[in-house]
Amino acid sequence: MSMPQDQSRLQGAIALTRFGMGARPGEMDAVARDPRGWLRAQVRPERVPRPEGPFPSAPDRLAALGEYRRRVQEIMRPAPARPADAMPPPPSMAADDTGIPESVRQSARALLTQTGQEYLASIRLAASTPAGFAERWVRFWWNHFAIGIGKVAVAPLAGDFEREAIRAHVFGRFDDMLTAVESHPAMLIYLDQAQSTGPNSLVGQRRRQAGLNENLAREILELHTVGADAGYSQADVTEFARALTGWSIRQPNLPVRLYAGAIDGANGSTYVPLIHEPGTRQVMGRSYRQGGGDQALAILSDLASHPATGRRLARRLAVHFHSDTPPAGLVDRLESAWTRDGRRLDSLALALIDAPEMWEAEARKFKRPEEFLISGYRALGLAPRRIEHVQPALVALGQPPWAPPSPEGWPDEAVAWAAPDAVIKRLTWAQRFSEAAVRDQSPMDLAESALGPRLTDRTRSAVRRAEDRAEAVAILLMSPEFQRR
């Protein structure tokens, strides 16, 4: 039995704007024929959208980063005194105030330029993909496992992290994504795990300046799995950090002998036995025997299956997709799917699609800046062509690309984004974007295709009364129903 046409169109609008990244011209009618079927068809592990490349792999980027660091260290070593009559270095090697020659600084800029191109490819995909729900699902999990390119060494690896640690596992098992994320070089560098050394390891006993770093262990427990309310202690954090020692990367400034017996991962990470803390570990009431890198894997597996992890992730998903204060029934449904199907993320996505709370007409979620920009491009059937089209705008709006303020990621609640000053900045962007992007398109057609039945009479009237096309589209983008999903 088919739904009434009006109800079907409303559900099509919800599928595109709440589950997805926003409607593109012409999508509304097509999706309205089978909104749930359109969403379910995207939940395919083998069909997750990927940014248009090709791009260097993490091992390639690590090699380039290592070469840059090697050159910097070589330059910064004290040089022998130059005879007074010696020729000065050529201009390309002239150093700035930091002592770093221009040629070396150019190699650093090249690494960051590549990162910008990778982010541009990612946001272009989000603006143009027909699989908007799969793309939102990717971006939810990226934010859950957030890294930040404010730490310069992370920047060259950020694109590979999104593609290989998140996208590659986003509709698979949570356990697999958890392992891929925590062992990725971007995360190892971001949370200082690459420098962590077991105090009683062979290296730790000889190099007392090397020490244990607890950052990765703490964030896995607090943010990535069970959460701060799960009852773990500081001793658990320390014990987990000891188990994680050895998870690292190859660093060119360290002696080759350090990597004796090292096991290189396909993603560019390396397990280094000589810095692993020996011994049995006790974490959250469980004992883990000495097993090299597998010791930390065993702890990760137990954290993934812990009931607190399922409950916490169910609520985070409900907050992101439904509202800042989601109904308990929705959280319960998601948690049940998580437990019933062995922490499969495709089953979790299907449970979200089937939840009746997700199809309520009221739009309760205020868009974050990146979501706002992406949905704006989608509404006009466009995609940004240059990183300069999006990076300055996102910085001004408070969500610079791949640079959240902490490992906690970007906040999901409206209070973080809806202050008066932030709304004024959105208006400024909407006006400039509309002036630059709108050509001969009908603003009313754009409004109908972007929002469908969600378009209110008040906004429809305001768009009609606008003085010109650009003003009309800016009004559409700043309307309450476009700002929320």
Side-chain angles (χ1 to χ4, degrees):
M1 182 172 151
S2 61
M3 288 185 292
Q5 185 177 8
D6 289 349
Q7 180 67 12
S8 179
R9 280 184 56 77
L10 177 59
Q11 292 204 357
I14 289 171
L16 283 161
T17 61
R18 179 174 301 159
F19 287 87
M21 302 300 298
R24 299 181 301 162
E27 277 190 317
M28 192 71 69
D29 289 338
V31 173
R33 297 188 192 108
D34 185 8
R36 286 174 171 81
W38 178 75
L39 292 169
R40 291 190 187 104
Q42 299 175 45
V43 185
R44 298 287 186 272
E46 70 281 2
R47 291 175 54 190
V48 178
R50 285 207 162 222
E52 188 175 335
F55 295 110
S57 67
D60 290 339
R61 301 309 297 279
L62 277 171
L65 180 64
E67 175 61 15
Y68 164 71
R69 285 174 157 176
R70 184 195 64 77
R71 292 178 68 188
V72 168
Q73 289 167 353
E74 190 174 82
I75 290 160
M76 298 304 286
R77 288 194 195 104
R82 184 163 56 92
D85 58 349
M87 292 182 63
S92 63
M93 289 296 291
D96 63 5
D97 292 341
T98 67
I100 307 299
E102 174 62 23
S103 61
V104 178
R105 284 185 281 129
Q106 284 178 352
S107 66
R109 284 196 291 269
L111 287 169
L112 297 178
T113 297
Q114 182 69 61
T115 299
Q117 292 307 304
E118 289 178 289
Y119 180 78
L120 176 63
S122 175
I123 204 167
R124 279 180 60 83
L125 171 62
S128 60
T129 180
F133 173 49
E135 187 63 21
R136 178 174 293 285
W137 193 253
V138 166
R139 289 170 184 273
F140 168 82
W141 288 106
W142 186 96
N143 196 57
H144 179 72
F145 292 113
I147 57 170
I149 63 173
K151 184 171 285 189
V152 176
V154 175
L157 301 161
D160 188 88
F161 178 81
E162 184 197 274
R163 293 188 300 273
E164 303 304 330
I166 303 296
R167 290 184 188 273
H169 302 281
V170 79
F171 285 129
R173 292 180 71 246
F174 175 77
D175 307 49
D176 295 334
M177 182 159 65
L178 181 65
T179 300
V181 162
E182 310 305 355
S183 66
H184 194 279
M187 187 66 76
L188 297 178
I189 294 173
Y190 179 55
L191 293 178
D192 305 308
Q193 179 62 32
Q195 285 76 45
S196 186
T197 302
N200 296 304
S201 67
L202 290 175
V203 171
Q205 294 179 54
R206 296 174 183 176
R207 297 173 60 192
R208 290 301 176 184
Q209 71 274 20
L212 186 69
N213 190 292
E214 298 182 351
N215 289 353
L216 180 61
R218 180 176 292 104
E219 305 306 0
I220 291 174
L221 287 163
E222 180 179 343
L223 301 178
H224 299 171
T225 59
V226 295
D229 297 332
Y232 63 84
S233 66
Q234 175 56 41
D236 292 319
V237 174
T238 301
E239 282 286 272
F240 188 17
R242 288 169 177 156
L244 283 165
T245 52
W247 287 33
S248 189
I249 60 172
R250 289 184 179 267
Q251 302 182 60
N253 60 315
L254 297 178
V256 174
R257 63 180 179 276
L258 173 68
Y259 298 100
I263 302 171
D264 293 331
N267 63 0
S269 65
T270 302
Y271 173 69
V272 186
L274 295 184
I275 63 174
H276 177 69
E277 178 75 1
T280 299
R281 308 267 75 88
Q282 300 284 333
V283 178
M284 295 189 72
R286 295 195 177 189
S287 179
Y288 301 88
R289 63 180 178 80
Q290 167 66 9
D294 291 343
Q295 188 178 56
L297 287 175
I299 299 173
L300 279 179
S301 178
D302 284 345
L303 291 175
S305 62
H306 196 288
T309 299
R311 185 69 179 176
R312 182 168 182 275
L313 292 178
R315 190 177 191 285
R316 290 205 71 180
L317 275 165
V319 167
H320 179 79
F321 280 92
H322 184 276
S323 63
D324 293 356
T325 54
L330 175 59
V331 176
D332 290 343
R333 283 187 180 88
L334 296 175
E335 185 181 6
S336 295
W338 168 274
T339 304
R340 180 185 65 243
D341 295 325
R343 303 178 298 284
R344 284 206 61 86
L345 301 181
D346 47 0
S347 295
L348 196 58
L350 293 173
L352 186 74
I353 294 168
D354 291 337
E357 296 92 341
M358 289 300 302
W359 298 95
E360 296 165 353
E362 183 181 358
R364 298 179 175 92
K365 284 301 297 184
F366 191 77
K367 294 176 181 177
R368 292 188 297 218
E370 187 186 64
E371 297 171 330
F372 171 50
L373 262 67
I374 290 169
S375 60
Y377 274 101
R378 290 181 71 88
L380 272 65
L382 301 174
R385 297 186 304 276
R386 300 171 57 191
I387 188 64
E388 292 81 7
H389 293 162
V390 290
Q391 195 262 353
L394 287 171
V395 170
L397 294 173
Q399 195 178 5
W402 286 339
S406 76
E408 195 169 0
W410 298 108
D412 232 333
E413 293 78 13
V415 67
W417 306 109
D421 178 62
V423 174
I424 290 171
K425 289 178 180 177
R426 290 188 184 218
L427 174 60
T428 300
W429 179 83
Q431 291 170 330
R432 291 175 179 170
F433 176 65
S434 300
E435 289 168 0
V438 176
R439 295 293 181 262
D440 57 354
Q441 297 155 300
S442 161
M444 278 311 307
D445 288 348
L446 291 175
E448 294 287 355
S449 66
L451 294 170
R454 293 188 55 224
L455 182 65
T456 63
D457 290 340
R458 182 175 181 178
T459 297
R460 187 180 285 108
S461 176
V463 169
R464 284 195 178 118
R465 291 198 309 266
E467 293 184 0
D468 54 39
R469 285 191 177 97
E471 182 182 286
V473 172
I475 289 171
L476 166 65
L477 298 181
M478 290 305 298
S479 66
E481 57 267 45
F482 193 89
Q483 290 290 316
R484 293 183 178 272
R485 54 177 177 83

